[in-house]
Amino acid sequence: MTLMDPALWEGKINTGTWVVGSGGTQDVREPATDAVLGRVGVATADDVYAAAIRADGVQKAWAATRPEDRAAVLRRAGTLFETHAEEIQRWIIREDGSTPPKAALETHIAANECFDAAALPHLPQGEVLASNESRWSVARRTPAGVVSVIAPFNFPLILSIRAVAPALALGNAVLLKPDPRTAVCGGVALMRVFEEAGLPAGVLQLLPGGAEVGAAVVDAPEVDVVAFTGSTGAGRAIGQTCGRLLKRAHLELGGNNALIVLPGVDVEKAASAAAFGSWMNSGQICMTTGRHIVHESVYDDYVAALVRKAEALTVGDPNTEDVALGPLIDDRQTAHCVDIVSAAVAEGASIAAGGTNEGRFFRPTVITGLDRDNTAWKNEIFGPVAPVARFTTLDEAVDLANDSEFGLSIGILGEVSVAMELADRLDAGKIHINEQTVSDESMAAFGGTKSSGNGTRIGGATVNIEAFTETQWLTLRSRIADYPF
């Protein structure tokens, strides 16, 4: 029996054991062919509320588990992601439409997330405070309790595990709601890994479903923290609910990320970086390079180089062909990209490359001749579209980069001293000098400003401890103090 053997999980959810969900089942479809790959179980709100009670019941025992035992579970989980990488990658390729290198990146980072999280139980869990009284005063970190993780389709494994692993390591129970389109590679894979790693039953529960399930994992009374990655609109709604219910929300939302290309840059290398930033995973990444801000002295050469990259890249079924770009996730996302490109042209922009699609297979696209009010410039596209604009002065470049409702990631290509000065003037959660905008590491803090989220909420030991624990003030005296009453 393999790790991902459908006989174990097909048509089921996991609430401590694999059981039939009250919501029935849903087909798992391959974006490239629309073929049915299997069936996943679907939860209902009632399933979620029961799961939250169950999670609350087992969480304290898990939190009381010795740090070395929690660390051992996380280390075993990391090893399982490595051992079964090929099996999990096959699901990422077929269910998510990912290319093999992208699928391999997901399992590699998933393992690293677990290995890094395994260190968290052994780190200091607080500090000794000064006090004006004759006592010891301590601020100690305690598990938050029950954490709901809501993850999207585009990097289904990474964007689940980066919250699941540290939350578990720090003594929390987790309710995982993957995107319904990627419930196997973004949900079942994690569930199976932690089952095999020895995580006690009920500490992690898998609850696939739609909007009803998403609302329930937020408002269930036992849930203390919600970690959401997804659209800005959905994030705002979750944030409002959490605010009303006095729950913490970690919101990693959309982006329309800028890449500033400075004068004197190596144009070919810049175009290579830019092509990766805009077209990796067919542009379906929150960190995708959505706006190319290019100095007028290199603009024409840069556009020409980017067009050559676009025309050379292959698009097709990553399960059967050696291609650079796979399909968009579904027909709705494809229609969105078609509408954006059509609107951009209607508003005066020109297509320098691509702009066409065959079903969900969308050619890498370069758009020029647009201004900051153009639909393709203002909006997050979530497709393989690279809008390019020129600038004359550095002040203009800064203004163009900051003139967005989003503030997730900005890349700057060119002279380091100039890039450093620009970096101090840019509003984003992440700035990369001489790199494009797509970058993520398990040990690095991750988050955005403005409509890209409510700050750095995940990644790295310090941020993860802050995200998934509470601070408790504890004082100790050698004997009862004297009081005036």
Side-chain angles (χ1 to χ4, degrees):
M1 183 175 291
T2 63
L3 180 81
M4 299 293 291
D5 190 337
L8 296 168
W9 55 265
E10 191 163 34
K12 299 174 183 177
I13 65 175
N14 193 296
T15 58
T17 59
W18 292 101
V19 297
V20 175
S22 301
T25 64
Q26 175 180 294
D27 288 343
V28 179
R29 291 191 174 273
E30 184 175 38
T33 66
D34 212 36
V36 175
L37 305 176
R39 294 175 301 115
V40 291
V42 178
T44 63
D46 287 341
D47 289 331
V48 172
Y49 296 137
I53 292 170
R54 191 175 298 109
D56 187 54
V58 299
Q59 182 269 325
K60 291 179 175 57
W62 170 243
T65 302
R66 295 186 308 172
E68 67 175 315
D69 293 332
R70 276 185 277 131
V73 170
L74 271 296
R75 286 195 300 272
R76 288 194 293 270
T79 300
L80 286 163
F81 276 120
E82 292 180 329
T83 304
H84 297 278
E86 185 175 347
E87 187 181 357
I88 296 170
Q89 288 164 23
R90 182 53 50 194
W91 276 102
I92 297 172
I93 292 166
R94 300 206 65 186
E95 184 186 26
D96 193 45
S98 300
T99 61
K102 186 262 192 182
L105 175 68
E106 291 222 46
T107 54
H108 173 71
I109 290 182
N112 281 341
E113 289 284 358
C114 292
F115 293 141
D116 284 1
L120 294 176
H122 292 151
L123 294 179
Q125 304 294 307
E127 59 184 340
V128 177
L129 307 175
S131 178
N132 291 316
E133 301 289 332
S134 298
R135 62 187 178 190
W136 292 349
S137 181
V138 176
R140 65 176 183 173
R141 309 296 308 207
T142 60
V146 178
V147 176
S148 286
V149 176
I150 307 174
F153 75 86
N154 54 319
F155 272 79
L157 183 55
I158 290 176
L159 298 182
S160 296
I161 194 64
R162 70 175 184 176
V164 169
L168 292 175
L170 290 164
N172 301 283
V174 174
L175 306 180
L176 173 59
K177 184 211 168 293
D179 189 293
R181 293 166 290 187
T182 49
V184 179
C185 57
V188 171
L190 286 89
M191 195 72 244
R192 287 291 299 122
V193 160
F194 280 102
E195 278 189 311
E196 294 299 308
L199 185 70
V203 175
L204 173 64
Q205 299 180 58
L206 175 63
L207 302 159
E212 175 197 23
V213 171
V217 298
V218 173
D219 66 27
E222 295 78 15
V223 170
D224 301 282
V225 174
V226 178
F228 171 80
T229 302
S231 71
T232 296
R236 284 196 174 104
I238 289 170
Q240 288 175 344
T241 300
C242 287
R244 175 172 56 83
L245 298 175
L246 301 180
K247 300 183 181 189
R248 276 193 286 162
H250 306 321
L251 306 174
E252 200 279 281
L253 310 178
N256 189 10
N257 311 288
L259 182 68
I260 300 174
V261 183
L262 298 175
V265 74
D266 183 324
V267 171
E268 289 299 325
K269 295 194 75 169
S272 175
F276 184 90
S278 280
W279 300 324
M280 195 267 191
N281 200 38
S282 295
Q284 298 174 116
I285 310 174
C286 60
M287 298 173 282
T288 288
T289 301
R291 295 176 295 146
H292 299 241
I293 301 171
V294 185
H295 190 261
E296 60 184 5
S297 65
V298 295
Y299 178 86
D300 290 338
D301 290 341
Y302 178 89
V303 169
L306 197 57
V307 166
R308 289 194 297 272
K309 296 289 184 185
E311 292 175 342
L313 291 172
T314 53
V315 183
D317 183 349
N319 185 50
T320 60
E321 305 172 68
D322 183 11
V323 295
L325 281 71
L328 295 174
I329 188 66
D330 57 21
D331 292 339
R332 179 181 177 184
Q333 186 58 31
T334 304
H336 171 72
C337 291
V338 170
D339 290 345
I340 288 279
V341 172
S342 298
V345 173
E347 294 166 13
S350 300
I351 296 176
T356 61
N357 65 293
E358 294 182 13
R360 296 170 185 167
F361 300 101
F362 207 101
R363 288 292 312 169
T365 299
V366 179
I367 300 180
T368 61
L370 31 64
D371 58 32
R372 67 178 70 195
D373 293 322
N374 190 283
T375 296
W377 187 262
K378 291 191 303 182
N379 295 287
E380 181 182 33
I381 301 173
F382 231 64
V385 181
V388 189
R390 69 178 78 215
F391 73 90
T392 301
T393 67
L394 294 179
D395 287 344
E396 185 183 2
V398 170
D399 182 52
L400 279 169
N402 285 338
D403 185 22
S404 172
E405 69 167 304
F406 300 103
L408 182 55
S409 181
I410 294 177
I412 310 172
L413 305 180
E415 174 58 44
V416 174
S417 60
V418 177
M420 290 175 66
E421 293 178 5
L422 288 183
D424 288 339
R425 302 169 62 189
L426 298 171
D427 186 359
K430 309 186 309 114
I431 295 176
H432 303 290
I433 294 176
N434 282 324
E435 294 183 316
Q436 44 72 45
T437 55
V438 179
S439 188
D440 185 16
E441 290 187 320
S442 58
M443 71 288 287
F446 190 102
T449 63
K450 299 186 282 188
S451 292
S452 290
N454 57 348
T456 301
R457 301 290 172 176
I458 207 152
T462 301
V463 172
N464 281 333
I465 291 173
E466 178 68 27
F468 298 116
T469 64
E470 298 283 357
T471 299
Q472 182 185 72
W473 185 30
L474 174 67
T475 64
L476 306 93
R477 289 180 181 266
S478 58
R479 54 184 175 274
I480 299 173
D482 295 325
Y483 294 95
F485 285 11

